[in-house]
Each structure stands twice: as C-alpha cells, then as structure tokens.
Amino acid sequence: MIIGKKSWRFQLLSLPLLNENPKRQMTLLKILFWTCLVICLYTYLGYGVILYLAVCVKRWLKGKPQQQQLPDDAQLPEVTFMVCAYNEQDIVDWKMQNIRELDYPADKLHVMWVTDGSTDATNERLQKYTDVEVVYSPERRGKTAALNHGISMVKSDITVMTDANTQVNREALRHIVRCFLNPQVGCVAGEKRVTARNKGEIAAEGEGMYWKYESTLKRWDSELYSAMGAAGELNAIRTRLYEPMPETALLDDFVMSMRIVDKGYRIAYTSEAYAMEFGSANLAEESKRKQRIAAGGLQSCWWLREMMNPFRRFIVAFQFVSHRVLRWTVTPVAMMALIPLNVALVMMKAGTVYTVIWLLQLLFYLAALLGYLKEQSGKKSRLLFIPYYFLFMNLNVFRGMYYLRHHQGGGAWEKAKRG
C-alpha cells in the first residue's frame, strides 16, 4: 500500500506523545532531559569521582599497593621490542637511537621492526642494524595485519609494542617487566605523553591536556582492578595471550588488550614507563585521528559487547561501560539532545532551573565558539580552548559514526601529520 505525504502527517499527529496533554508532555521531556544530563555528567565527572572514592575504600581496606623492587639483570626475562612501521624512512635512525639508549641487557632484548607494505627506504635504512629482525610483506593490509604477522614471529615470553614516532624513556622496559611479576597481569599499559614541537601548537596542547586527564583515570582504573585498554604508543603483553585479530580492526591496541582482560587477566598501568610523541600538526589532522578512534571505539564496543554483561564480571562491566562505552556511544548523543530538550522546557515554562541550565549551556557553546574563532585567527586562550576542544572531541564521535558506516576494506589508513 502506498502512503502519501498527507497520510504520513496524519500518522505523525496521531502519535500518543503528541496527543498527550501538556502536563504529561512536560513530564516526559523532563525525564528525557535529566536522563541525558545525568549521563553526560556521569561520563565526564561522576565516574572519575566514584572511581577515586572506590580506590580510597580499597586502600583503606587493603592498604596502598606496594611496588616491587625492580628486578636485577639476572632476573630479567627476554623481551621482544616490536615496532610496526609503514614508510618511516625519515625516523628510522631517530627511533633506533632511542632503542639503543634503553636500560636493558642487550643479550635479553630482541628488536623487531614489522614494515609490511612499506615502499620507501625504511627496509634499506634498517639493513645497517645487524641485530634488528625485519619482518616484511610487500602487501599493505594495515597495522592489525602487521601485528598479527609480527607477533607470530616472536619467541620471547614478553612482547613490548611501540609506535615508530615515539620516544620511550630509558627505564621503561624494567618498569614494564616489574608489572609482569604479578601473575594476574597479562598486559601492561605505559603512559602516553603528548608534547608540542613548537610553542603555540593548539592541537598538540589540547591533546596533551586530554591525555593528562585520561592517564589519571587509567591509573585509578588499574588500582581498582584493571586499566580499560592499552594505547599503541607503548604497551606490552604476555606473548602467549595474543590472539590474531580481524584485519578490519580500527583500534587494534584496544581490542588486543581488552581481549586479555576478557581471559581473566588484568591490564596494569604504569606511568614510570612512558612514550613521548608530538601532537597533531593542527586540528584538521587531529580530527582524522579522533574520527578513526571514535569509529574504532564503536566497532570495539560491538565486538566486545559480552564484556558489558554485569553478571559475567561486574567490576569489568562497570569500568568498561563507564570509561569507554558511554563516551563512544550514548553520551555524545545525550549531549546534543540536551539542546532541543532544554529549549522545549524553557518555552513550556517548566521552571527556573531549566532556564538557568539553558543559560549555562549557551555560555558553554559561546565559549566554544570564541575558542574556535581564536584558534582560526592564530591566537589562543587556554580558558576558551577547553570547551572548544571538548566539543571538538564529541563532534568527531559523530564523524566517526559516519566513517564506520562507510568504511570499507581493511585496517590501512592515512596517518595524521604530527607537529
């Protein structure tokens, strides 16, 4: 049966919501409004507060966790330090110098570069390093395929992974190995630190602020039970726990580490092992990263959906949903929904509280707009940049949804230019 435009309008007007009396309509709008507001506040503020209080209670009951001594050379296990690189000829020597400076016995440190698909002089540059194992396949299928390929060649019990464009601190490997002295730890997440190559690079500074906040949550997550994911800039696993991942994975590091949590192990977080990298060259380049991360987050939430079941492992479900799932799914939608809901309640004269909240929303978006205009003019204001970058991150979740919807093929992607 063909339904014309008039029939559609008739059906829309006959919906129960629109036929209800104004009082019931207002009640429903209030419920939706407060639900969205609570979700937003919980995701970005409430979870951090609850997490900190839970950690304090755990310290009170069991005492603050004591760090074990760094193992001496005789106790150190063999480690494979793996770098996945695609067309990184310009930084091979820079990265190798950093690796040479690591404080770890040379006879126990195996260096591996996985250079699948590289068409520049990366492999040629690596030939002069006779103690480096180069794993290469001419086909470019993305980083996940490179990880699958590389780890299949690893013979050591521990594999440490890092990006080619990062600098790892000298003592990082010893601190990572110390975490593995706990048999419950299956993965170790190092700290990601972002710096600007030049003063005034607003994208890098915004990313740096975000990662300071994120690192705090990771530290508390780890102390409560387990960090929720490890960043590809610096992480390590017990090699035997690795499962080959689908090559279409967009967030390979996150999926890999969370699968280890799903096996019953923990991700330990240590800020004493860190990787330093330059932030994105500008916000347009940063947007590429954010879109891909958001798309990968949505993909990961679906692939790891069984971990959200509180009847399987309550604390894992609580941390996973609170720290990750909400950010990539519900919260950005709730944030945008607050605007029309708030306007409707103000117009219906629902009460002073809704007018105050609407004025606060207007101030927030005005500050974000001014932050954007400042950035476009080449000036900057740290105060105005915070709401702008916050909004920028959430808008890129929607772009990530579009990216995932139209994404075809494997895990190969265009790298964002760094500062």
Side-chain angles (χ1 to χ4, degrees), residues 9-61:
R9 290 194 187 108
F10 176 78
Q11 288 187 7
L12 182 63
L13 290 171
S14 65
L15 287 173
L17 173 61
L18 300 179
N19 265 340
E20 295 286 358
N21 60 58
K23 187 174 180 180
R24 296 190 65 178
Q25 288 182 18
M26 186 183 294
T27 300
L28 180 58
L29 288 174
K30 286 180 178 179
I31 292 171
L32 291 172
F33 173 82
W34 286 107
T35 299
C36 290
L37 185 60
V38 168
I39 288 172
C40 292
L41 292 175
Y42 174 76
T43 301
Y44 294 111
L45 293 174
Y47 175 61
V49 172
I50 292 172
L51 182 61
Y52 175 70
L53 293 175
V55 166
C56 288
V57 170
K58 184 177 180 180
R59 289 174 182 173
W60 179 68
L61 292 173

Side-chain angles (χ1 to χ4, degrees), residues 251 254 293-294 297-298 301 324-330 332 397 401:
L251 279 187
F254 182 74
I293 290 170
L298 287 164
C301 287
R324 297 299 186 186
V325 177
L326 289 176
R327 287 193 197 180
W328 288 328
T329 57
V330 179
V397 172
M401 293 175 183

Side-chain angles (χ1 to χ4, degrees), residues 301-336:
C301 287
W302 178 249
W303 286 0
L304 302 169
R305 58 191 179 277
E306 291 186 0
M307 296 183 70
M308 302 180 206
N309 183 352
F311 297 103
R312 289 181 73 222
R313 296 168 72 196
F314 175 79
I315 194 164
V316 169
F318 164 67
Q319 290 183 292
F320 181 39
V321 171
S322 299
H323 193 163
R324 297 299 186 186
V325 177
L326 289 176
R327 287 193 197 180
W328 288 328
T329 57
V330 179
T331 303
V333 176
M335 182 178 169
M336 294 298 107

Side-chain angles (χ1 to χ4, degrees), residues 372-391:
Y372 167 76
L373 294 174
K374 284 272 191 182
E375 189 269 336
Q376 291 294 303
S377 67
K379 302 175 183 178
K380 67 172 185 175
S381 166
R382 186 174 295 272
L383 184 62
L384 295 175
F385 184 71
I386 293 173
Y388 171 45
Y389 193 79
F390 180 81
L391 185 60

